[in-house]
Amino acid sequence: ALDREQMQGLKGIREFLKVRTSYDVLPLSFRLVVLDTELLIKKSLSILIQNGIVSAPLWDSKTSTFAGLLTSTDYINVIQYYCQFPHEIDQVDQFRLSSLRDIERAIGVLPLETVSVHPMRPLYEACRRMLKTRARRIPLVDVDDETGREMVVSVITQYRILKFIAVNNEKYTMLLKKPVREIGLGTYTDLVTASMSNSVLDVIHLMVKHNISAVPIIDSEGKVLNVFEAVDVIPCIRDGLYEELTASVGDALSLRPEDFPGIYTCSEDDRLDAIFDTIRKSRVHRLIVVDDDNHLRGIISLSDILKYVLLYGEEEDDIRDT
Ligand code: ADP
């Protein structure tokens, strides 16, 4: 019966995502900060910090087109570039946002796909595309009828989508009563961790190497002390002080903004309905799974949740098609 209820809940949510559009997820009024690609990278950092945001769409004013999304990954790329070519620090300071693609090439990382979706397409499509490209946020791009020009309407994140589900589907999320342990939600083996005394640079290298956006910081007994997130890199380099990256994780985490939402934990016995309650109430970016003594057991990322909600029990062929 638990199985049937769980499936019924998932189906309900999937149907919901098919009849709603990305546009529906947007709040009634919002502010969108779009950055011109002519801007110095250095400058872009202070703009993000001043506005209390961690990403922004880029606009190429020469061609009047959308030029991708600026995220913490781009700054991490700049840091890697600096590590590989430390004698070029003066140049790094002069880089514009338009050089980000050259930086990717120079350090040999694959450029992120500049996926976008039309705001009036079903939300389900945006979710599928997010999972497929591993994008954590997707810009909504529309075309102006009169000028034929692209317009960035907004950006939707995994968190916004999950929150939208949580707020509008309580009758379905409450059916998701199977414990996290049973549905295998999240990652429990080969966890990548660091300690307070590791340097920021050590942790950045770990995130790049394993393609993850957060590293739990644990003590010698494996108890969770904190989590270093990719976005924590932004305040570390705000003054262009790349040397500071040798500072310890402990020092870096003290730079977090005052409104930092905190880290969220859960146990392997928690159920998805409880996780949706947490998402409904708080700005969660991931859940750290701990035991009763706060020892690290696993990590549940928002992509793990989105993947489960969209794909669990779907036909394999169906997944490959879309
Ligand atoms: P998201 O895509 O939601 O931003 P991540 O990039 O952090 O999340 O996670 C990608 C995948 O890697 C997920 O399946 C997650 O469970 C796993 N993961 C995240 N952090 C770690 C970590 N520190 N060690 C091992 N696996 C992790």
Side-chain angles (χ1 to χ4, degrees):
L2 220 54
D3 272 322
R4 198 159 23 141
E5 270 192 314
Q6 186 93 4
M7 231 26 246
Q8 204 185 330
L10 294 176
K11 287 220 172 87
I13 295 172
R14 288 171 195 164
E15 283 315 308
F16 171 81
L17 293 173
K18 285 174 185 165
V19 297
R20 295 303 184 92
T21 67
S22 299
Y23 199 77
D24 294 330
V25 182
L26 303 182
L28 280 181
S29 91
F30 58 88
R31 190 181 47 140
L32 181 67
V33 178
V34 179
L35 303 179
D36 194 293
T37 49
E38 279 303 295
L39 201 66
L40 289 174
I41 293 181
K42 198 167 64 173
K43 240 345 203 315
S44 72
L45 272 168
S46 43
I47 294 177
L48 293 188
I49 294 171
Q50 269 164 29
N51 285 283
I53 53 179
V54 293
S55 84
L58 300 176
W59 184 255
D60 184 336
S61 49
K62 287 201 192 100
T63 55
S64 292
T65 52
F66 165 65
L69 209 56
L70 174 72
T71 71
S72 49
T73 302
D74 294 304
Y75 297 112
I76 288 177
N77 287 343
V78 176
I79 292 169
Q80 285 183 281
Y81 182 90
Y82 168 71
C83 291
Q84 288 185 26
F85 311 99
H87 48 281
E88 287 184 26
I89 180 68
D90 294 337
Q91 263 155 282
V92 172
D93 241 17
Q94 294 309 313
F95 278 146
R96 292 175 193 281
L97 293 172
S98 51
S99 351
L100 287 171
R101 300 290 90 92
D102 300 328
I103 293 173
E104 281 172 349
R105 227 169 293 132
I107 60 170
V109 300
L110 288 175
L112 290 176
E113 248 183 284
T114 44
V115 281
S116 62
V117 291
H118 191 278
M120 296 314 277
R121 300 290 307 164
L123 188 52
Y124 189 81
E125 214 174 283
C127 294
R128 276 290 178 99
R129 200 162 289 184
M130 266 180 156
L131 290 178
K132 200 168 161 201
T133 58
R134 297 209 53 207
R136 288 153 181 132
R137 40 186 85 232
I138 281 197
L140 304 180
V141 178
D142 201 349
V143 177
D144 188 304
D145 284 342
E146 277 171 31
T147 60
R149 280 189 185 168
E150 290 186 319
M151 281 187 316
V152 190
V153 179
S154 185
V155 176
I156 51 170
T157 60
Q158 292 178 348
Y159 172 70
R160 264 220 191 139
I161 294 174
L162 288 169
K163 172 151 179 164
F164 185 66
I165 294 175
V167 168
N168 293 290
N169 288 277
E170 219 168 330
K171 69 170 188 275
Y172 295 125
T173 59
M174 63 184 258
L175 298 177
L176 306 174
K177 291 182 191 151
K178 288 187 149 196
V180 159
R181 184 198 306 276
E182 211 183 308
I183 57 177
L185 188 68
T187 302
Y188 297 86
T189 52
D190 300 321
L191 294 173
V192 179
T193 62
S195 76
M196 279 291 181
S197 56
N198 278 119
S199 72
V200 171
L201 214 45
D202 292 337
V203 180
I204 290 175
H205 289 319
L206 285 176
M207 290 194 284
V208 172
K209 182 167 168 217
H210 298 279
N211 198 6
I212 47 177
S213 58
V215 176
I217 309 300
I218 56 174
D219 68 10
S220 55
E221 289 166 22
K223 291 191 182 181
V224 178
L225 301 173
N226 215 321
V227 178
F228 192 90
E229 304 176 20
V231 294
D232 288 317
V233 167
I234 294 176
C236 291
I237 54 170
R238 70 174 302 172
D239 302 314
L241 301 172
Y242 291 90
E243 307 85 44
E244 300 251 308
L245 296 170
T246 52
S248 72
V249 167
D251 289 340
L253 290 177
S254 65
L255 298 176
R256 271 183 176 155
E258 259 165 50
D259 61 351
F260 175 70
I263 66 171
Y264 291 86
T265 59
C266 71
S267 97
E268 280 181 278
D269 300 316
D270 283 342
R271 312 180 318 190
L272 204 48
D273 60 350
I275 293 180
F276 269 112
D277 287 340
T278 309
I279 292 174
R280 195 175 298 127
K281 291 180 207 130
S282 343
R283 240 173 80 196
V284 193
H285 291 297
R286 65 192 49 76
L287 291 127
I288 308 299
V289 188
V290 292
D291 67 11
D292 293 339
D293 287 324
N294 208 34
H295 291 110
L296 178 67
R297 304 280 307 154
I299 295 191
I300 301 175
S301 72
L302 296 185
S303 57
D304 294 329
I305 301 174
L306 203 57
K307 199 176 291 164
Y308 178 79
V309 167
L310 255 79
L311 305 183
Y312 176 78
E314 291 277 280
E315 295 295 329
E316 281 290 326
D317 292 344
D318 194 25
I319 296 169
R320 240 175 283 130
D321 283 351
T322 35

